[in-house]
């Protein structure tokens, strides 16, 4: 069964990291983007399910390469090299932010979710979980999945408030964030009913709605980078 901690929760934690990490250009939008990024492996699971049973595709691709410490190190090194090559320090800040965000995602999944993670992929070590002693009931599992849509709705509202507080050249996205927020509310209500019914194809229906929502979340985060950076700068100034 697919399992991921709520994407909005990851984004919220990534945003709060601004309080403990010195401010750098593009660092905080990159942290938030990186905190969401590992769950994009569900797209690979979906593609893999065309060739394997979905349970096998999940075992191969979910919470493996995208949740590995080696992957976040590789991301940081890639942007550090790009920074040196292009002589642009901002790329190093972006790489640092993505790596910090991915790390926060892995930590949150470790403590607040209930499935194994391949921390050291691709090394041949067994996946690890803190929750091996407990089997999550299907109903609770499904409801936790449905909460994803509530978190997407919350994140859309969060981005709208940042744009309204610091309007900029990319604040045209507010219109689309509002539409997205409304759709996530509809999906949340629909999937609550579906979780209670628990049809055999629930996970396929969930994935069909979740993947576009996650892609929208990443795109909206990228477009909202200026608003997020302005908000983090203001917050740091108030703290100081």
């Amino acid at each position: 069964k697919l399992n991921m901690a709520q994407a909005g929760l990851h984004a919220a934690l990534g945003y709060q990291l601004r309080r403990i990490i010195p401010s750098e250009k593009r660092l905080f939008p990159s942290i938030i983007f990186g905190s969401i990024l590992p769950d994009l492996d569900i797209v690979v699971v979906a593609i893999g399910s065309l060739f394997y049973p979905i349970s096998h595709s999940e075992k191969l691709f979910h919470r493996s390469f995208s949740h590995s410490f080696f992957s976040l190190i590789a991301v940081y090194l890639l942007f550090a090299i790009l920074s040196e090559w292009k002589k642009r320090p901002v790329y190093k800040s972006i790489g640092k932010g993505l790596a910090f965000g991915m790390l926060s995602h892995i930590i949150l999944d470790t403590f607040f979710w209930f499935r194994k993670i391949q921390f050291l992929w691709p090394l041949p070590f067994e996946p690890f979980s803190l929750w091996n002693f407990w089997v999550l009931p299907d109903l609770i599992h499904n409801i936790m999945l449905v909460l994803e849509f509530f978190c997407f709705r919350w994140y859309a509202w969060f981005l709208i408030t940042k744009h309204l507080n610091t309007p900029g050249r990319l604040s045209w996205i507010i219109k689309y964030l509002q539409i997205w927020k409304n759709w996530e509310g509809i999906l949340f209500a629909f999937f609550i009913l579906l979780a209670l019914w628990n049809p055999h194809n629930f996970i396929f229906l969930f994935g069909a709605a979740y993947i576009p929502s996650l892609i929208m979340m990443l795109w909206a985060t990228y477009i909202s980078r200026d608003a997020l950076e302005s908000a983090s700068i203001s917050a740091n100034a108030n703290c100081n």
Side-chain angles (χ1 to χ4, degrees):
K1 294 177 180 179
L2 295 179
N3 233 308
M4 65 288 292
Q6 278 68 34
L9 185 59
H10 284 302
L13 176 61
Y15 185 71
Q16 291 305 315
L17 288 176
R18 77 193 192 282
R19 300 179 183 276
I20 60 175
I21 299 175
S23 179
E24 297 178 21
K25 185 177 181 181
R26 294 303 184 210
L27 178 66
F28 293 108
S30 300
I31 290 175
I32 297 173
F33 194 92
S35 70
I36 306 165
L37 195 59
D39 277 342
L40 202 59
D41 64 3
I42 193 176
V43 177
V44 183
V45 173
I47 296 171
S49 68
L50 299 175
F51 306 97
Y52 306 101
I54 191 166
S55 59
H56 186 54
S57 180
E58 180 198 0
K59 185 176 180 180
L60 287 174
F61 304 119
H62 192 43
R63 308 183 75 146
S64 56
F65 65 92
S66 65
H67 289 66
S68 169
F69 293 122
F70 293 116
S71 294
L72 67 89
I73 291 170
V75 167
Y76 173 73
L77 290 177
L78 176 64
F79 278 87
I81 292 169
L82 186 63
S83 175
E84 293 294 326
W85 180 35
K86 294 291 188 179
K87 307 299 182 186
R88 296 193 62 186
V90 68
Y91 289 144
K92 191 171 185 179
S93 294
I94 292 172
K96 186 189 300 182
L98 291 174
F100 270 124
M102 293 172 70
L103 179 61
S104 73
H105 183 113
I106 293 170
I107 292 171
L108 200 63
D109 272 5
T110 301
F111 287 97
F112 296 104
W113 215 245
F114 308 98
R115 292 295 186 270
K116 294 180 179 180
I117 302 175
Q118 297 185 44
F119 296 114
L120 298 177
W121 181 94
L123 299 181
F125 290 100
E126 284 296 314
F128 173 79
S129 173
L130 290 174
W131 304 97
N132 286 329
F133 61 89
W134 187 45
V135 177
L136 191 68
D138 284 347
L139 178 60
I140 296 177
H141 170 264
N142 287 349
I143 289 175
M144 291 182 74
L145 289 180
V146 172
L147 285 173
E148 293 280 3
F149 300 112
F150 176 82
C151 289
F152 285 132
R153 177 180 170 83
W154 171 85
Y155 188 65
W157 167 85
F158 171 80
L159 291 181
I160 289 170
T161 61
K162 298 308 171 189
H163 279 284
L164 292 176
N165 291 337
T166 54
R169 62 187 180 88
L170 297 174
S171 292
W172 51 263
I173 197 177
I174 290 176
K175 172 185 175 181
Y176 300 98
L177 289 173
Q178 188 63 50
I179 295 171
W180 179 41
K181 181 168 74 75
N182 293 338
W183 270 107
E184 294 301 333
I186 294 170
L187 289 173
F188 175 62
F190 173 73
F191 275 94
I192 281 288
L193 297 176
L194 209 61
L196 296 174
W197 176 25
N198 195 25
H200 71 278
N201 60 343
F202 174 85
I203 197 63
F204 293 98
L205 295 172
F206 171 81
Y210 178 83
I211 290 174
S213 297
L214 184 65
I215 292 173
M216 176 64 186
M217 188 180 195
L218 288 166
W219 177 73
T221 301
Y222 173 74
I223 297 298
S224 302
R225 59 194 183 276
D226 291 341
L228 290 169
E229 187 156 298
S230 297
S232 66
I233 292 171
S234 299
N236 283 332
N238 291 335
C239 290
N240 294 331

